[in-house]
Amino acid sequence: MADDLSSFAKDVFLVKACKKSTIVWRMVVLVFAMVCGVYICSICLKQISTQTKTGFLDIQVIKKPCPEPNIEPWEIPYVHYPKPKTFSRAECACNPVRNFAILSMQRSGSGWFETFLNSHINISSNGEIFSVKVRRSNISTIVETLDKVYNLDWFSSASKNECTAAVGLKWMLNQGLMQHHEQIVEYFRTRGVSVIFLFRRNLLRRMISVLANQYDRDAKLLNGTHKSHVHSPHEAEILATYKPTINTTLLVSNLNQVNGTTTKALEYFKSTRHIIVYYEDVVKNRTKLMDVQEFLKVPRRDLKSRQVKIHKGALPRQVENWDDVSKTLNGTPYESFLHADYRK
């Protein structure tokens, strides 16, 4: 009997031990399964997160490109899509922009010409930027300034910003242009800048305008104010009352110098895409402005200017010592300047 009880007690113990062992193993398996489940879930979440981030990155990096403009293959280097740092072009981001520079000399009608261009809704010509010496002190500052202009980050009263189709500036030949012509030509060619040469045929008329403008800087004939350009016939008449006396001793050499400078400029920049415009042609025939718009590939518009011509009419009435000037130029290559005239 005692043996039976002892045997029964052993069996009970063994059963309990087995049950405990089974529970322990089940707990081990359950814990292991939970650990595996958590691990698998964490991997899945990481993959989902990575895929999501990748998807967002793809959206940010891959942007819909601007459609190719309907242009000739040779025009492609001259078409740009600026991304200004100072503003967004918004809905005009895919509007192509063409870069240009007006190369001229003082008192050649460049200010008048530029007002015509700026009357176009899609053209921004930002004026005589390099009249400020620090901007033309070296080629680095010149390039830095040009980059701002052609990236639409240069602000002036002429800026059209978002929907500009042609952007440029007015650059006088004596404002660092000739000294750094090699680097500037290279810049124009690599950046697709088109050049508009604007000169006067009659250099004698230009000289009269230069001398009269220099005189008014000190005299300030318009109520104590100096104006290089005017917007009323009355102001023009006041400025035209001054008749300069021309130094005939230096007259031919001065005309040679100006003529030589323009010839050099045409030679230096002949490898750029360019057009030559003469002030006299624009005065006589406003269809020349249509040629310029075609050159810039902008929609044709009827361009206007508020500026009024100061010196007009026959040359003998504009020079104090006309007889001396006439005698000096007769028989020289510049004799035609004495007779060339235009109505307006």
Coordinates of all heavy atoms in Angstrom, one line a residue, residues 184-258:
I184 N 34.7 89.2 -72.3 CA 33.2 89.5 -72.5 C 32.7 88.8 -73.7 O 31.5 88.3 -73.7 CB 33.0 91.0 -72.6 CG1 33.4 91.7 -71.2 CG2 31.6 91.4 -72.9 CD1 33.5 93.2 -71.3
V185 N 33.4 88.8 -74.8 CA 33.0 88.0 -76.0 C 32.8 86.6 -75.7 O 31.8 86.0 -76.1 CB 34.0 88.2 -77.1 CG1 33.8 87.2 -78.2 CG2 34.0 89.6 -77.7
E186 N 33.7 86.0 -74.9 CA 33.6 84.6 -74.5 C 32.3 84.4 -73.7 O 31.6 83.4 -73.8 CB 34.8 84.2 -73.7 CG 34.8 82.7 -73.3 CD 34.7 81.7 -74.5 OE1 35.2 82.1 -75.6 OE2 34.3 80.6 -74.3
Y187 N 32.1 85.3 -72.7 CA 30.9 85.3 -71.9 C 29.6 85.4 -72.8 O 28.7 84.6 -72.6 CB 30.9 86.4 -70.9 CG 29.7 86.4 -70.0 CD1 29.7 85.8 -68.7 CD2 28.5 87.0 -70.3 CE1 28.6 85.8 -67.9 CE2 27.4 87.1 -69.5 CZ 27.5 86.4 -68.2 OH 26.4 86.4 -67.4
F188 N 29.6 86.3 -73.7 CA 28.4 86.4 -74.6 C 28.2 85.2 -75.4 O 27.0 84.8 -75.6 CB 28.6 87.6 -75.5 CG 28.4 89.0 -74.9 CD1 28.0 89.1 -73.6 CD2 28.6 90.1 -75.6 CE1 27.8 90.3 -73.0 CE2 28.4 91.4 -75.1 CZ 28.0 91.5 -73.7
R189 N 29.2 84.6 -75.8 CA 29.1 83.4 -76.7 C 28.6 82.2 -75.8 O 27.7 81.4 -76.3 CB 30.4 83.0 -77.4 CG 30.7 84.1 -78.4 CD 32.1 83.8 -79.1 NE 32.0 82.6 -79.9 CZ 33.0 82.1 -80.5 NH1 34.2 82.6 -80.5 NH2 32.9 81.0 -81.2
T190 N 29.2 82.0 -74.7 CA 28.8 80.8 -73.8 C 27.4 81.0 -73.2 O 26.7 80.0 -73.0 CB 29.8 80.6 -72.7 OG1 30.0 81.8 -71.9 CG2 31.1 80.2 -73.3
R191 N 27.0 82.3 -72.9 CA 25.7 82.5 -72.3 C 24.6 82.9 -73.3 O 23.5 83.2 -72.9 CB 25.8 83.7 -71.3 CG 26.6 83.3 -70.0 CD 25.9 82.2 -69.2 NE 24.6 82.7 -68.8 CZ 24.3 83.3 -67.7 NH1 25.3 83.5 -66.8 NH2 23.1 83.6 -67.4
G192 N 25.0 82.8 -74.6 CA 24.0 83.1 -75.6 C 23.4 84.5 -75.6 O 22.2 84.7 -75.6
V193 N 24.3 85.5 -75.5 CA 23.9 86.9 -75.4 C 24.0 87.5 -76.8 O 25.0 87.5 -77.5 CB 24.8 87.7 -74.5 CG1 24.4 89.2 -74.5 CG2 24.8 87.2 -73.1
S194 N 22.9 88.1 -77.3 CA 22.9 88.7 -78.6 C 23.2 90.2 -78.4 O 22.8 90.8 -77.5 CB 21.5 88.6 -79.2 OG 21.1 87.2 -79.5
V195 N 24.0 90.7 -79.4 CA 24.5 92.1 -79.3 C 23.7 93.0 -80.3 O 23.5 92.7 -81.5 CB 26.0 92.2 -79.6 CG1 26.5 93.6 -79.7 CG2 26.8 91.4 -78.5
I196 N 23.3 94.2 -79.8 CA 22.7 95.2 -80.6 C 23.7 96.4 -80.6 O 23.9 97.1 -79.6 CB 21.3 95.7 -80.1 CG1 20.3 94.5 -80.0 CG2 20.8 96.8 -81.0 CD1 19.0 94.9 -79.3
F197 N 24.3 96.6 -81.8 CA 25.2 97.8 -81.9 C 24.3 99.0 -82.3 O 23.5 98.9 -83.2 CB 26.2 97.6 -83.0 CG 27.3 96.6 -82.7 CD1 27.3 95.3 -83.3 CD2 28.3 96.9 -81.8 CE1 28.3 94.4 -83.0 CE2 29.3 96.0 -81.5 CZ 29.3 94.8 -82.1
L198 N 24.4 100.0 -81.6 CA 23.7 101.3 -81.9 C 24.7 102.4 -82.0 O 25.3 102.8 -81.0 CB 22.7 101.6 -80.8 CG 21.9 102.9 -81.0 CD1 21.0 102.7 -82.2 CD2 21.0 103.2 -79.8
F199 N 24.9 102.9 -83.2 CA 25.8 104.0 -83.5 C 25.1 105.1 -84.3 O 24.0 105.0 -84.8 CB 27.0 103.5 -84.3 CG 27.8 102.5 -83.5 CD1 28.1 101.3 -84.1 CD2 28.3 102.7 -82.2 CE1 28.9 100.3 -83.4 CE2 29.0 101.7 -81.5 CZ 29.3 100.5 -82.2
R200 N 25.8 106.3 -84.3 CA 25.4 107.3 -85.2 C 26.3 107.4 -86.4 O 27.5 107.3 -86.3 CB 25.5 108.7 -84.5 CG 24.4 108.9 -83.4 CD 24.5 110.3 -82.8 NE 23.7 111.2 -83.6 CZ 23.0 112.2 -83.1 NH1 23.0 112.4 -81.8 NH2 22.3 113.0 -83.9
R201 N 25.6 107.6 -87.6 CA 26.4 107.8 -88.8 C 27.1 109.1 -88.8 O 28.3 109.2 -89.1 CB 25.5 107.6 -90.0 CG 25.2 106.2 -90.4 CD 24.6 106.1 -91.8 NE 24.4 104.8 -92.2 CZ 23.3 104.1 -92.1 NH1 22.2 104.7 -91.6 NH2 23.2 102.8 -92.5
N202 N 26.4 110.2 -88.4 CA 26.9 111.5 -88.5 C 27.6 111.8 -87.1 O 26.9 112.2 -86.2 CB 25.8 112.5 -88.7 CG 26.4 113.9 -89.1 OD1 27.4 114.3 -88.6 ND2 25.7 114.6 -90.0
L203 N 28.9 111.6 -87.1 CA 29.6 111.8 -85.8 C 29.8 113.3 -85.5 O 30.0 113.6 -84.3 CB 31.0 111.2 -86.0 CG 31.0 109.7 -86.3 CD1 32.5 109.1 -86.3 CD2 30.3 108.9 -85.2
L204 N 29.6 114.1 -86.4 CA 29.6 115.6 -86.1 C 28.4 116.0 -85.2 O 28.5 116.7 -84.3 CB 29.6 116.4 -87.4 CG 29.6 117.9 -87.2 CD1 30.9 118.4 -86.4 CD2 29.6 118.6 -88.6
R205 N 27.2 115.4 -85.6 CA 26.0 115.7 -84.8 C 26.2 115.1 -83.4 O 25.8 115.7 -82.4 CB 24.8 115.1 -85.5 CG 24.2 115.9 -86.6 CD 22.9 115.3 -87.1 NE 22.3 116.2 -88.1 CZ 21.5 117.2 -87.9 NH1 21.2 117.5 -86.6 NH2 21.0 117.9 -88.9
R206 N 26.8 114.0 -83.3 CA 27.1 113.4 -82.0 C 28.0 114.3 -81.2 O 27.7 114.5 -80.0 CB 27.7 112.0 -82.1 CG 28.1 111.4 -80.8 CD 28.9 110.1 -80.9 NE 29.3 109.6 -79.6 CZ 30.4 110.0 -79.0 NH1 31.3 110.8 -79.7 NH2 30.7 109.6 -77.8
M207 N 29.0 114.8 -81.8 CA 29.9 115.7 -81.1 C 29.2 117.0 -80.6 O 29.4 117.4 -79.4 CB 31.1 116.2 -82.0 CG 32.1 117.1 -81.4 SD 33.4 117.6 -82.5 CE 34.3 116.0 -82.5
I208 N 28.3 117.5 -81.3 CA 27.5 118.7 -80.9 C 26.7 118.3 -79.7 O 26.6 119.1 -78.7 CB 26.6 119.2 -82.0 CG1 27.4 119.7 -83.2 CG2 25.6 120.2 -81.5 CD1 26.7 120.0 -84.5
S209 N 26.1 117.1 -79.7 CA 25.3 116.7 -78.5 C 26.1 116.5 -77.3 O 25.7 116.8 -76.2 CB 24.5 115.4 -78.9 OG 23.7 115.0 -77.9
V210 N 27.3 115.9 -77.5 CA 28.3 115.7 -76.4 C 28.7 117.0 -75.7 O 28.6 117.2 -74.5 CB 29.5 114.9 -76.8 CG1 30.6 114.9 -75.7 CG2 29.2 113.5 -77.2
L211 N 29.0 118.0 -76.6 CA 29.5 119.3 -76.0 C 28.3 120.0 -75.3 O 28.5 120.7 -74.3 CB 30.0 120.2 -77.2 CG 31.3 119.7 -77.8 CD1 31.7 120.5 -79.0 CD2 32.5 119.7 -76.8
A212 N 27.1 120.0 -75.9 CA 26.0 120.6 -75.3 C 25.6 120.0 -74.0 O 25.3 120.7 -73.0 CB 24.8 120.6 -76.2
N213 N 25.7 118.7 -73.9 CA 25.4 118.0 -72.6 C 26.4 118.3 -71.6 O 26.1 118.5 -70.4 CB 25.3 116.5 -72.9 CG 24.8 115.7 -71.7 OD1 23.7 115.9 -71.2 ND2 25.6 114.8 -71.2
Q214 N 27.7 118.4 -72.0 CA 28.8 118.7 -71.0 C 28.6 120.1 -70.5 O 28.7 120.4 -69.3 CB 30.1 118.6 -71.7 CG 30.6 117.2 -71.9 CD 31.9 117.1 -72.7 OE1 32.4 118.1 -73.2 NE2 32.5 115.9 -72.8
Y215 N 28.2 121.0 -71.3 CA 27.9 122.4 -70.9 C 26.8 122.5 -69.9 O 26.8 123.2 -68.9 CB 27.6 123.3 -72.1 CG 27.1 124.7 -71.8 CD1 28.0 125.7 -71.4 CD2 25.7 125.0 -71.8 CE1 27.5 126.9 -71.1 CE2 25.3 126.2 -71.5 CZ 26.2 127.2 -71.1 OH 25.7 128.5 -70.8
D216 N 25.7 121.7 -70.1 CA 24.5 121.8 -69.3 C 24.8 121.1 -67.9 O 24.1 121.4 -66.9 CB 23.3 121.1 -69.9 CG 22.0 121.3 -69.2 OD1 21.6 122.5 -69.1 OD2 21.5 120.4 -68.6
R217 N 25.8 120.3 -67.8 CA 26.1 119.7 -66.5 C 26.5 120.8 -65.5 O 26.2 120.7 -64.3 CB 27.3 118.7 -66.6 CG 27.0 117.4 -67.3 CD 28.2 116.5 -67.4 NE 27.9 115.3 -68.1 CZ 27.3 114.2 -67.7 NH1 26.9 114.2 -66.4 NH2 27.1 113.2 -68.5
D218 N 27.1 121.9 -66.0 CA 27.5 123.0 -65.1 C 26.4 124.1 -65.2 O 26.1 124.7 -64.1 CB 28.8 123.6 -65.6 CG 30.0 122.6 -65.4 OD1 29.9 121.8 -64.4 OD2 30.8 122.5 -66.3
A219 N 25.9 124.4 -66.4 CA 24.9 125.5 -66.5 C 23.6 125.2 -65.9 O 22.9 126.1 -65.4 CB 24.8 125.9 -68.0
K220 N 23.1 123.9 -66.1 CA 21.8 123.5 -65.6 C 20.7 124.5 -66.1 O 20.1 125.2 -65.3 CB 21.8 123.4 -64.1 CG 22.8 122.3 -63.5 CD 22.7 122.2 -62.0 CE 23.6 121.1 -61.5 NZ 25.0 121.1 -61.9
L221 N 20.5 124.5 -67.4 CA 19.6 125.4 -68.0 C 18.1 125.2 -67.6 O 17.4 126.2 -67.6 CB 19.7 125.3 -69.5 CG 21.1 125.7 -70.1 CD1 21.1 125.5 -71.6 CD2 21.5 127.1 -69.7
L222 N 17.8 124.1 -67.2 CA 16.4 123.8 -66.9 C 16.1 124.0 -65.4 O 16.1 123.0 -64.6 CB 16.0 122.3 -67.3 CG 16.0 122.1 -68.8 CD1 15.8 120.6 -69.1 CD2 15.0 122.9 -69.6
N223 N 15.9 125.3 -65.0 CA 15.6 125.6 -63.6 C 16.6 125.0 -62.6 O 16.2 124.5 -61.6 CB 14.2 125.1 -63.3 CG 13.1 125.8 -64.1 OD1 13.2 127.0 -64.4 ND2 12.1 125.1 -64.5
G224 N 17.9 125.1 -63.0 CA 18.9 124.6 -62.1 C 19.1 123.1 -62.0 O 19.7 122.6 -61.1
T225 N 18.5 122.4 -63.0 CA 18.5 120.9 -63.1 C 19.2 120.5 -64.4 O 18.8 121.0 -65.4 CB 17.1 120.3 -62.9 OG1 16.5 120.8 -61.7 CG2 17.2 118.8 -62.9
H226 N 20.1 119.5 -64.3 CA 20.7 119.0 -65.5 C 19.9 117.8 -66.0 O 19.6 116.9 -65.2 CB 22.2 118.6 -65.2 CG 22.7 117.7 -66.3 ND1 22.9 118.2 -67.6 CD2 23.2 116.4 -66.4 CE1 23.4 117.3 -68.4 NE2 23.6 116.2 -67.6
K227 N 19.6 117.8 -67.2 CA 18.8 116.7 -67.8 C 19.5 116.3 -69.1 O 19.7 117.1 -70.0 CB 17.4 117.0 -68.1 CG 16.5 117.2 -66.9 CD 15.1 117.4 -67.2 CE 14.2 117.5 -66.0 NZ 12.8 117.6 -66.4
S228 N 19.8 115.0 -69.3 CA 20.4 114.5 -70.5 C 19.4 114.2 -71.5 O 19.6 114.2 -72.7 CB 21.2 113.2 -70.2 OG 22.3 113.5 -69.4
H229 N 18.1 113.9 -71.1 CA 17.0 113.6 -71.9 C 15.8 114.4 -71.4 O 15.6 114.5 -70.2 CB 16.7 112.1 -72.0 CG 17.9 111.3 -72.3 ND1 18.6 110.7 -71.3 CD2 18.5 111.0 -73.5 CE1 19.6 110.0 -71.9 NE2 19.6 110.2 -73.2
V230 N 14.9 114.8 -72.3 CA 13.7 115.6 -71.9 C 12.5 115.0 -72.6 O 12.6 114.2 -73.5 CB 13.9 117.1 -72.3 CG1 15.0 117.7 -71.6 CG2 14.1 117.2 -73.9
H231 N 11.3 115.3 -71.9 CA 10.1 114.8 -72.4 C 9.1 115.8 -72.9 O 7.9 115.5 -73.1 CB 9.4 114.0 -71.3 CG 10.2 112.8 -70.8 ND1 10.2 112.3 -69.5 CD2 11.0 112.0 -71.5 CE1 11.0 111.3 -69.5 NE2 11.5 111.0 -70.7
S232 N 9.6 117.0 -73.1 CA 8.7 118.1 -73.6 C 9.4 119.0 -74.6 O 10.6 119.2 -74.5 CB 8.1 119.0 -72.4 OG 9.2 119.9 -72.0
P233 N 8.7 119.4 -75.7 CA 9.3 120.3 -76.7 C 9.9 121.6 -76.0 O 10.9 122.1 -76.5 CB 8.2 120.6 -77.6 CG 7.2 119.4 -77.5 CD 7.3 119.1 -76.0
H234 N 9.2 122.1 -75.0 CA 9.6 123.3 -74.4 C 11.0 123.1 -73.7 O 11.9 124.0 -73.9 CB 8.6 123.7 -73.3 CG 9.0 124.9 -72.5 ND1 9.2 126.2 -73.1 CD2 9.4 125.1 -71.2 CE1 9.6 127.1 -72.2 NE2 9.7 126.4 -71.0
E235 N 11.2 122.0 -73.0 CA 12.5 121.8 -72.4 C 13.6 121.6 -73.5 O 14.7 122.0 -73.3 CB 12.4 120.5 -71.5 CG 11.6 120.7 -70.3 CD 11.5 119.4 -69.5 OE1 11.5 118.3 -70.1 OE2 11.5 119.5 -68.2
A236 N 13.2 120.9 -74.6 CA 14.2 120.7 -75.7 C 14.6 122.0 -76.3 O 15.8 122.2 -76.6 CB 13.5 119.8 -76.7
E237 N 13.7 122.9 -76.5 CA 14.0 124.2 -77.0 C 15.0 125.0 -76.1 O 15.9 125.7 -76.6 CB 12.8 125.0 -77.2 CG 11.9 124.5 -78.4 CD 10.6 125.3 -78.5 OE1 10.4 126.3 -77.7 OE2 9.7 124.9 -79.3
I238 N 14.8 124.9 -74.8 CA 15.7 125.6 -73.9 C 17.1 125.0 -74.0 O 18.1 125.8 -74.1 CB 15.2 125.5 -72.5 CG1 13.8 126.2 -72.3 CG2 16.2 126.0 -71.5 CD1 13.2 126.0 -71.0
L239 N 17.2 123.7 -74.0 CA 18.6 123.1 -74.1 C 19.2 123.4 -75.5 O 20.4 123.5 -75.5 CB 18.5 121.6 -73.9 CG 18.1 121.2 -72.5 CD1 18.0 119.6 -72.4 CD2 19.0 121.7 -71.4
A240 N 18.4 123.5 -76.5 CA 18.9 123.7 -77.9 C 19.4 125.2 -78.1 O 20.1 125.4 -79.1 CB 17.9 123.4 -78.9
T241 N 19.1 126.0 -77.2 CA 19.6 127.4 -77.3 C 21.1 127.6 -77.2 O 21.7 128.5 -77.8 CB 18.9 128.4 -76.3 OG1 19.3 127.8 -74.9 CG2 17.4 128.4 -76.4
Y242 N 21.7 126.6 -76.5 CA 23.2 126.7 -76.4 C 23.8 126.1 -77.7 O 23.5 125.0 -78.2 CB 23.7 125.8 -75.2 CG 25.2 125.7 -75.2 CD1 26.0 126.8 -74.9 CD2 25.8 124.5 -75.5 CE1 27.4 126.7 -74.9 CE2 27.1 124.3 -75.5 CZ 27.9 125.4 -75.2 OH 29.3 125.3 -75.2
K243 N 24.7 126.9 -78.3 CA 25.4 126.5 -79.5 C 26.9 126.4 -79.2 O 27.6 127.4 -78.9 CB 25.2 127.6 -80.6 CG 23.8 127.7 -81.1 CD 23.7 128.8 -82.2 CE 22.3 128.9 -82.7 NZ 22.2 129.9 -83.8
P244 N 27.4 125.2 -79.2 CA 28.8 125.0 -78.8 C 29.8 125.5 -79.8 O 29.5 125.6 -81.0 CB 28.9 123.4 -78.7 CG 27.9 122.9 -79.6 CD 26.7 123.9 -79.5
T245 N 30.9 125.9 -79.4 CA 32.0 126.2 -80.3 C 33.0 125.0 -80.3 O 33.5 124.6 -79.3 CB 32.8 127.5 -79.7 OG1 31.9 128.6 -79.7 CG2 34.0 127.8 -80.6
I246 N 33.2 124.5 -81.6 CA 34.0 123.3 -81.7 C 35.4 123.7 -82.0 O 35.7 124.6 -82.8 CB 33.4 122.5 -82.9 CG1 32.0 122.0 -82.6 CG2 34.3 121.3 -83.2 CD1 31.3 121.2 -83.7
N247 N 36.3 123.0 -81.3 CA 37.8 123.2 -81.5 C 38.1 122.5 -82.8 O 38.3 121.3 -83.0 CB 38.5 122.5 -80.3 CG 40.0 122.8 -80.4 OD1 40.6 123.1 -81.5 ND2 40.7 122.6 -79.3
T248 N 38.3 123.4 -83.8 CA 38.6 122.8 -85.2 C 40.0 122.2 -85.3 O 40.2 121.4 -86.2 CB 38.4 123.9 -86.2 OG1 39.2 125.1 -85.9 CG2 37.0 124.4 -86.3
T249 N 40.9 122.6 -84.4 CA 42.2 122.1 -84.5 C 42.2 120.6 -84.2 O 43.0 119.8 -84.8 CB 43.1 122.8 -83.5 OG1 43.1 124.2 -83.7 CG2 44.6 122.2 -83.5
L250 N 41.4 120.2 -83.2 CA 41.3 118.7 -82.8 C 40.1 118.0 -83.5 O 39.9 116.8 -83.2 CB 41.1 118.7 -81.3 CG 42.3 119.3 -80.5 CD1 41.9 119.2 -79.0 CD2 43.6 118.5 -80.8
L251 N 39.3 118.7 -84.3 CA 38.1 118.2 -84.8 C 38.3 116.9 -85.6 O 37.7 115.8 -85.3 CB 37.4 119.2 -85.7 CG 36.1 118.7 -86.4 CD1 35.1 118.2 -85.4 CD2 35.5 119.8 -87.3
V252 N 39.2 116.9 -86.6 CA 39.4 115.7 -87.4 C 40.0 114.5 -86.6 O 39.6 113.4 -86.7 CB 40.4 116.0 -88.6 CG1 40.7 114.7 -89.3 CG2 39.7 117.0 -89.5
S253 N 41.0 114.8 -85.7 CA 41.5 113.7 -84.9 C 40.5 113.2 -83.9 O 40.5 111.9 -83.7 CB 42.7 114.3 -84.1 OG 42.3 115.3 -83.2
N254 N 39.6 114.0 -83.4 CA 38.5 113.5 -82.5 C 37.6 112.6 -83.3 O 37.1 111.5 -82.8 CB 37.8 114.7 -81.9 CG 38.5 115.3 -80.8 OD1 39.5 114.8 -80.2 ND2 38.2 116.6 -80.5
L255 N 37.2 113.0 -84.5 CA 36.3 112.2 -85.3 C 37.0 110.9 -85.7 O 36.4 109.8 -85.7 CB 35.9 112.9 -86.6 CG 35.0 114.1 -86.4 CD1 34.8 114.9 -87.7 CD2 33.7 113.7 -85.7
N256 N 38.3 110.9 -85.9 CA 39.1 109.7 -86.2 C 39.1 108.7 -85.0 O 38.9 107.5 -85.2 CB 40.6 110.0 -86.6 CG 40.7 110.5 -88.0 OD1 39.9 110.2 -88.9 ND2 41.8 111.3 -88.2
Q257 N 39.2 109.3 -83.9 CA 39.2 108.5 -82.6 C 37.9 107.8 -82.4 O 37.9 106.6 -82.2 CB 39.6 109.3 -81.4 CG 39.7 108.6 -80.1 CD 40.0 109.4 -78.9 OE1 40.0 110.7 -79.0 NE2 40.2 108.8 -77.8
V258 N 36.8 108.5 -82.6 CA 35.5 107.9 -82.4 C 35.2 106.9 -83.5 O 34.7 105.8 -83.2 CB 34.4 109.0 -82.4 CG1 33.0 108.4 -82.4 CG2 34.6 110.0 -81.3

